[in-house]
Amino acid sequence: KTAYEIRNCDWSSDVCSSDLVVYLIVQGGLWLLGGVIVIILLGLREFYQLIDEKGAHPLVGYGMAGGAALPVVAYLGNEYHATILMTAVLLGVMVLQLGKQQISEALVSISGTFFGVFYVGWLLAHAVVLRGFHGVVAAKWGPVAAAGWSPDAGIFLVLFAAAVVVGCDAGAYFTGRAYGRRKLAPAISPSKTVEGALGGIAAGVLGGAVCKLTFDLLWPGMTRGFDWISVVVFGVVVAIAGMLGDLVESLLKRDAKTKDTGALLPGMGGVLDRIDSALLGIPV
């Protein structure tokens, strides 16, 4: 899509939202960083609203600042710097909670605030790391190890993860509707079935294979180092991780007694409803 088409898109459309995500992934750099920060902030706002609905009061502003800082650290630093930041965030949460002097909700406030930073901020920051895969490999294992990968391999790897997750979601939905009999997790998500999960895994692998084939035909250099065995292995593992991410979010919503985490995306719920599978799929 051209920049003009993206600027003039109707963002209530799922297709246009997907176009923007692909555009940011391909652009990389500060474009992707800015997009990830925005998604983290929107996702954290929805997550803290779930906690509010449980009657607790997380440190919303502080948690959102900590979550937004994680992709910046991922972009500029490494995992050691991210660990320092997470430690500082936890320390800050505890100190600020002492200042609130509300003992009755201290446990929920501290744990909820910090878990939100980790669940949304830490996990989604991996998109920035995966997009810069070549540089990460070179910095950690040297230029010899990175030589087996294209400098733009991160574009393929992020889109591959997205293709697997989206394929798994679609496959699980349609397979479950057509053939679903045995409940997968009835207490958490009654509509999900074992048959749907198996169909989702198969569709996820197929989505990853289509992504690989497309890149092999159009930009073969980007898939260097990622063979067809990797497509199947990572397709299965990422699809399973994506389904677990979906179930985790369903668990949180069921506990909060809400159907959707928000209404930002008409007909599709909130931001967390759209990224729940990717939150685990991308890091894996």
Side-chain angles (χ1 to χ4, degrees):
K1 290 291 182 179
T2 65
Y4 174 81
E5 289 172 311
I6 290 175
R7 283 196 303 269
N8 291 276
C9 208
D10 175 12
W11 295 109
S12 65
S13 166
D14 192 23
V15 174
C16 288
S17 300
S18 300
D19 289 342
L20 178 61
V21 170
V22 173
Y23 177 81
L24 294 176
I25 292 170
V26 173
Q27 291 297 313
L30 294 176
W31 285 94
L32 179 62
L33 176 62
V36 169
I37 290 174
V38 170
I39 294 173
I40 287 174
L41 290 174
L42 294 174
L44 273 172
R45 184 180 66 112
E46 293 177 356
F47 178 80
Y48 289 141
Q49 284 176 347
L50 290 179
I51 299 179
D52 278 330
E53 291 174 9
K54 291 289 294 179
H57 302 286
L59 302 165
V60 177
Y62 184 80
M64 292 178 70
L70 280 166
V72 177
V73 171
Y75 182 75
L76 298 175
N78 53 42
E79 65 270 22
Y80 174 68
H81 301 123
T83 302
I84 292 175
L85 176 60
M86 291 296 284
T87 304
V89 168
L90 179 57
L91 178 61
V93 168
M94 292 188 292
V95 171
L96 289 174
Q97 186 63 40
L98 288 173
K100 288 175 66 175
Q101 296 182 349
Q102 291 176 283
I103 298 176
S104 60
E105 65 170 45
L107 180 61
V108 176
S109 179
I110 292 174
S111 58
T113 302
F114 186 73
F115 178 68
V117 174
F118 186 91
Y119 175 57
V120 184
W122 173 277
L123 292 180
L124 197 58
H126 284 75
V128 176
V129 179
L130 189 59
R131 175 59 178 84
F133 184 78
H134 183 271
V136 172
V137 172
K140 196 169 185 64
W141 288 288
V144 176
W149 294 88
S150 164
D152 292 323
I155 296 175
F156 164 71
L157 292 173
V158 177
L159 290 177
F160 174 84
V164 171
V165 166
V166 172
C168 181
D169 283 348
Y173 175 78
F174 288 110
T175 305
R177 295 258 309 193
Y179 306 107
R181 296 294 182 273
R182 290 169 292 181
K183 299 297 183 182
L184 180 66
I188 298 174
S189 184
S191 63
K192 291 180 173 60
T193 63
V194 174
E195 293 80 5
L198 294 175
I201 293 173
V205 174
L206 179 61
V210 171
C211 181
K212 160 79 169 168
L213 181 61
T214 302
F215 272 82
D216 281 350
L217 293 175
L218 300 178
W219 308 282
M222 290 190 193
T223 61
R224 188 172 72 245
F226 200 86
D227 58 20
W228 284 98
I229 294 178
S230 299
V231 169
V232 175
V233 172
F234 278 93
V236 170
V237 174
V238 171
I240 293 174
M243 285 191 292
L244 290 174
D246 186 34
L247 285 172
V248 167
E249 201 231 3
S250 295
L251 176 67
L252 298 176
K253 290 191 295 184
R254 186 161 291 275
D255 185 33
K257 296 179 174 58
T258 184
K259 182 177 182 296
D260 296 318
T261 58
L264 183 64
L265 304 173
M268 295 178 286
V271 170
L272 278 182
D273 294 315
R274 301 300 297 164
I275 66 171
D276 53 1
S277 298
L279 283 177
L280 287 185
I282 290 176
V284 166

PDB file of all heavy atoms in Angstrom, residues 129-149:
ATOM      1  N   VAL A 129      12.615  -6.505  18.672  1.00  0.00           N
ATOM      2  CA  VAL A 129      13.824  -7.329  18.655  1.00  0.00           C
ATOM      3  C   VAL A 129      13.827  -8.251  17.440  1.00  0.00           C
ATOM      4  O   VAL A 129      14.841  -8.393  16.741  1.00  0.00           O
ATOM      5  CB  VAL A 129      13.919  -8.166  19.951  1.00  0.00           C
ATOM      6  CG1 VAL A 129      15.169  -9.046  19.929  1.00  0.00           C
ATOM      7  CG2 VAL A 129      13.947  -7.251  21.162  1.00  0.00           C
ATOM      8  N   LEU A 130      12.687  -8.889  17.155  1.00  0.00           N
ATOM      9  CA  LEU A 130      12.607  -9.814  16.028  1.00  0.00           C
ATOM     10  C   LEU A 130      12.788  -9.087  14.703  1.00  0.00           C
ATOM     11  O   LEU A 130      13.412  -9.625  13.776  1.00  0.00           O
ATOM     12  CB  LEU A 130      11.262 -10.549  16.062  1.00  0.00           C
ATOM     13  CG  LEU A 130      11.102 -11.705  15.069  1.00  0.00           C
ATOM     14  CD1 LEU A 130      12.158 -12.780  15.295  1.00  0.00           C
ATOM     15  CD2 LEU A 130       9.705 -12.308  15.175  1.00  0.00           C
ATOM     16  N   ARG A 131      12.265  -7.869  14.597  1.00  0.00           N
ATOM     17  CA  ARG A 131      12.438  -7.089  13.361  1.00  0.00           C
ATOM     18  C   ARG A 131      13.909  -6.768  13.123  1.00  0.00           C
ATOM     19  O   ARG A 131      14.373  -6.712  11.982  1.00  0.00           O
ATOM     20  CB  ARG A 131      11.605  -5.807  13.441  1.00  0.00           C
ATOM     21  CG  ARG A 131      11.786  -4.852  12.265  1.00  0.00           C
ATOM     22  CD  ARG A 131      11.439  -5.505  10.949  1.00  0.00           C
ATOM     23  NE  ARG A 131      11.572  -4.559   9.842  1.00  0.00           N
ATOM     24  CZ  ARG A 131      12.708  -4.284   9.221  1.00  0.00           C
ATOM     25  NH1 ARG A 131      13.843  -4.871   9.604  1.00  0.00           N
ATOM     26  NH2 ARG A 131      12.749  -3.433   8.207  1.00  0.00           N
ATOM     27  N   GLY A 132      14.663  -6.580  14.180  1.00  0.00           N
ATOM     28  CA  GLY A 132      16.102  -6.314  14.045  1.00  0.00           C
ATOM     29  C   GLY A 132      16.938  -7.560  14.242  1.00  0.00           C
ATOM     30  O   GLY A 132      18.046  -7.487  14.781  1.00  0.00           O
ATOM     31  N   PHE A 133      16.427  -8.703  13.803  1.00  0.00           N
ATOM     32  CA  PHE A 133      17.037 -10.009  14.079  1.00  0.00           C
ATOM     33  C   PHE A 133      18.503 -10.076  13.650  1.00  0.00           C
ATOM     34  O   PHE A 133      19.365 -10.569  14.392  1.00  0.00           O
ATOM     35  CB  PHE A 133      16.238 -11.100  13.373  1.00  0.00           C
ATOM     36  CG  PHE A 133      16.722 -12.498  13.663  1.00  0.00           C
ATOM     37  CD1 PHE A 133      16.404 -13.128  14.847  1.00  0.00           C
ATOM     38  CD2 PHE A 133      17.499 -13.180  12.731  1.00  0.00           C
ATOM     39  CE1 PHE A 133      16.850 -14.413  15.123  1.00  0.00           C
ATOM     40  CE2 PHE A 133      17.942 -14.461  12.991  1.00  0.00           C
ATOM     41  CZ  PHE A 133      17.618 -15.079  14.183  1.00  0.00           C
ATOM     42  N   HIS A 134      18.824  -9.597  12.477  1.00  0.00           N
ATOM     43  CA  HIS A 134      20.198  -9.677  11.972  1.00  0.00           C
ATOM     44  C   HIS A 134      21.159  -8.934  12.886  1.00  0.00           C
ATOM     45  O   HIS A 134      22.234  -9.452  13.249  1.00  0.00           O
ATOM     46  CB  HIS A 134      20.263  -9.096  10.554  1.00  0.00           C
ATOM     47  CG  HIS A 134      21.621  -9.205   9.931  1.00  0.00           C
ATOM     48  ND1 HIS A 134      22.596  -8.233  10.084  1.00  0.00           N
ATOM     49  CD2 HIS A 134      22.174 -10.171   9.151  1.00  0.00           C
ATOM     50  CE1 HIS A 134      23.678  -8.588   9.425  1.00  0.00           C
ATOM     51  NE2 HIS A 134      23.456  -9.762   8.852  1.00  0.00           N
ATOM     52  N   GLY A 135      20.777  -7.743  13.300  1.00  0.00           N
ATOM     53  CA  GLY A 135      21.628  -6.966  14.195  1.00  0.00           C
ATOM     54  C   GLY A 135      21.772  -7.601  15.565  1.00  0.00           C
ATOM     55  O   GLY A 135      22.840  -7.546  16.183  1.00  0.00           O
ATOM     56  N   VAL A 136      20.688  -8.219  16.047  1.00  0.00           N
ATOM     57  CA  VAL A 136      20.729  -8.897  17.348  1.00  0.00           C
ATOM     58  C   VAL A 136      21.698 -10.072  17.303  1.00  0.00           C
ATOM     59  O   VAL A 136      22.510 -10.265  18.209  1.00  0.00           O
ATOM     60  CB  VAL A 136      19.320  -9.378  17.750  1.00  0.00           C
ATOM     61  CG1 VAL A 136      19.385 -10.250  19.003  1.00  0.00           C
ATOM     62  CG2 VAL A 136      18.396  -8.191  17.989  1.00  0.00           C
ATOM     63  N   VAL A 137      21.626 -10.866  16.239  1.00  0.00           N
ATOM     64  CA  VAL A 137      22.524 -12.010  16.091  1.00  0.00           C
ATOM     65  C   VAL A 137      23.974 -11.548  15.996  1.00  0.00           C
ATOM     66  O   VAL A 137      24.874 -12.115  16.630  1.00  0.00           O
ATOM     67  CB  VAL A 137      22.141 -12.841  14.849  1.00  0.00           C
ATOM     68  CG1 VAL A 137      23.190 -13.922  14.578  1.00  0.00           C
ATOM     69  CG2 VAL A 137      20.776 -13.471  15.035  1.00  0.00           C
ATOM     70  N   ALA A 138      24.211 -10.495  15.215  1.00  0.00           N
ATOM     71  CA  ALA A 138      25.574  -9.979  15.058  1.00  0.00           C
ATOM     72  C   ALA A 138      26.136  -9.468  16.373  1.00  0.00           C
ATOM     73  O   ALA A 138      27.312  -9.688  16.692  1.00  0.00           O
ATOM     74  CB  ALA A 138      25.586  -8.869  14.006  1.00  0.00           C
ATOM     75  N   ALA A 139      25.307  -8.789  17.161  1.00  0.00           N
ATOM     76  CA  ALA A 139      25.771  -8.232  18.431  1.00  0.00           C
ATOM     77  C   ALA A 139      26.034  -9.322  19.460  1.00  0.00           C
ATOM     78  O   ALA A 139      26.953  -9.203  20.274  1.00  0.00           O
ATOM     79  CB  ALA A 139      24.744  -7.234  18.966  1.00  0.00           C
ATOM     80  N   LYS A 140      25.256 -10.390  19.428  1.00  0.00           N
ATOM     81  CA  LYS A 140      25.362 -11.427  20.456  1.00  0.00           C
ATOM     82  C   LYS A 140      26.352 -12.528  20.089  1.00  0.00           C
ATOM     83  O   LYS A 140      27.071 -13.037  20.945  1.00  0.00           O
ATOM     84  CB  LYS A 140      23.981 -12.026  20.723  1.00  0.00           C
ATOM     85  CG  LYS A 140      23.902 -12.822  22.025  1.00  0.00           C
ATOM     86  CD  LYS A 140      22.468 -13.154  22.361  1.00  0.00           C
ATOM     87  CE  LYS A 140      22.350 -13.839  23.711  1.00  0.00           C
ATOM     88  NZ  LYS A 140      22.762 -12.983  24.830  1.00  0.00           N
ATOM     89  N   TRP A 141      26.375 -12.922  18.810  1.00  0.00           N
ATOM     90  CA  TRP A 141      27.221 -14.046  18.405  1.00  0.00           C
ATOM     91  C   TRP A 141      28.259 -13.691  17.339  1.00  0.00           C
ATOM     92  O   TRP A 141      28.985 -14.563  16.885  1.00  0.00           O
ATOM     93  CB  TRP A 141      26.354 -15.197  17.913  1.00  0.00           C
ATOM     94  CG  TRP A 141      25.622 -15.876  19.043  1.00  0.00           C
ATOM     95  CD1 TRP A 141      26.148 -16.683  20.004  1.00  0.00           C
ATOM     96  CD2 TRP A 141      24.232 -15.780  19.327  1.00  0.00           C
ATOM     97  NE1 TRP A 141      25.168 -17.094  20.873  1.00  0.00           N
ATOM     98  CE2 TRP A 141      23.974 -16.565  20.482  1.00  0.00           C
ATOM     99  CE3 TRP A 141      23.166 -15.123  18.725  1.00  0.00           C
ATOM    100  CZ2 TRP A 141      22.712 -16.702  21.036  1.00  0.00           C
ATOM    101  CZ3 TRP A 141      21.903 -15.263  19.274  1.00  0.00           C
ATOM    102  CH2 TRP A 141      21.688 -16.040  20.414  1.00  0.00           C
ATOM    103  N   GLY A 142      28.292 -12.438  16.908  1.00  0.00           N
ATOM    104  CA  GLY A 142      29.318 -12.006  15.974  1.00  0.00           C
ATOM    105  C   GLY A 142      28.865 -12.014  14.527  1.00  0.00           C
ATOM    106  O   GLY A 142      27.864 -12.646  14.166  1.00  0.00           O
ATOM    107  N   PRO A 143      29.620 -11.329  13.669  1.00  0.00           N
ATOM    108  CA  PRO A 143      29.247 -11.196  12.252  1.00  0.00           C
ATOM    109  C   PRO A 143      29.241 -12.514  11.494  1.00  0.00           C
ATOM    110  O   PRO A 143      28.528 -12.659  10.507  1.00  0.00           O
ATOM    111  CB  PRO A 143      30.315 -10.244  11.700  1.00  0.00           C
ATOM    112  CG  PRO A 143      31.462 -10.327  12.658  1.00  0.00           C
ATOM    113  CD  PRO A 143      30.849 -10.595  13.994  1.00  0.00           C
ATOM    114  N   VAL A 144      30.035 -13.493  11.934  1.00  0.00           N
ATOM    115  CA  VAL A 144      30.052 -14.783  11.243  1.00  0.00           C
ATOM    116  C   VAL A 144      28.699 -15.472  11.359  1.00  0.00           C
ATOM    117  O   VAL A 144      28.158 -16.003  10.385  1.00  0.00           O
ATOM    118  CB  VAL A 144      31.163 -15.692  11.817  1.00  0.00           C
ATOM    119  CG1 VAL A 144      31.096 -17.072  11.163  1.00  0.00           C
ATOM    120  CG2 VAL A 144      32.535 -15.068  11.569  1.00  0.00           C
ATOM    121  N   ALA A 145      28.128 -15.453  12.566  1.00  0.00           N
ATOM    122  CA  ALA A 145      26.812 -16.056  12.762  1.00  0.00           C
ATOM    123  C   ALA A 145      25.740 -15.297  11.993  1.00  0.00           C
ATOM    124  O   ALA A 145      24.800 -15.899  11.446  1.00  0.00           O
ATOM    125  CB  ALA A 145      26.467 -16.085  14.244  1.00  0.00           C
ATOM    126  N   ALA A 146      25.859 -13.971  11.943  1.00  0.00           N
ATOM    127  CA  ALA A 146      24.853 -13.163  11.248  1.00  0.00           C
ATOM    128  C   ALA A 146      24.955 -13.291   9.735  1.00  0.00           C
ATOM    129  O   ALA A 146      23.999 -12.972   9.020  1.00  0.00           O
ATOM    130  CB  ALA A 146      24.989 -11.695  11.656  1.00  0.00           C
ATOM    131  N   ALA A 147      26.098 -13.747   9.233  1.00  0.00           N
ATOM    132  CA  ALA A 147      26.293 -13.829   7.784  1.00  0.00           C
ATOM    133  C   ALA A 147      25.319 -14.794   7.121  1.00  0.00           C
ATOM    134  O   ALA A 147      25.040 -14.686   5.922  1.00  0.00           O
ATOM    135  CB  ALA A 147      27.728 -14.256   7.478  1.00  0.00           C
ATOM    136  N   GLY A 148      24.803 -15.732   7.879  1.00  0.00           N
ATOM    137  CA  GLY A 148      23.848 -16.688   7.311  1.00  0.00           C
ATOM    138  C   GLY A 148      22.455 -16.135   7.146  1.00  0.00           C
ATOM    139  O   GLY A 148      21.566 -16.820   6.633  1.00  0.00           O
ATOM    140  N   TRP A 149      22.245 -14.896   7.584  1.00  0.00           N
ATOM    141  CA  TRP A 149      20.915 -14.272   7.532  1.00  0.00           C
ATOM    142  C   TRP A 149      20.969 -12.978   6.738  1.00  0.00           C
ATOM    143  O   TRP A 149      21.965 -12.271   6.748  1.00  0.00           O
ATOM    144  CB  TRP A 149      20.421 -13.970   8.942  1.00  0.00           C
ATOM    145  CG  TRP A 149      20.176 -15.193   9.757  1.00  0.00           C
ATOM    146  CD1 TRP A 149      21.085 -15.861  10.531  1.00  0.00           C
ATOM    147  CD2 TRP A 149      18.957 -15.915   9.867  1.00  0.00           C
ATOM    148  NE1 TRP A 149      20.503 -16.950  11.118  1.00  0.00           N
ATOM    149  CE2 TRP A 149      19.203 -17.008  10.735  1.00  0.00           C
ATOM    150  CE3 TRP A 149      17.687 -15.755   9.334  1.00  0.00           C
ATOM    151  CZ2 TRP A 149      18.213 -17.931  11.065  1.00  0.00           C
ATOM    152  CZ3 TRP A 149      16.701 -16.665   9.664  1.00  0.00           C
ATOM    153  CH2 TRP A 149      16.964 -17.741  10.523  1.00  0.00           C
TER     154      TRP A 149
END
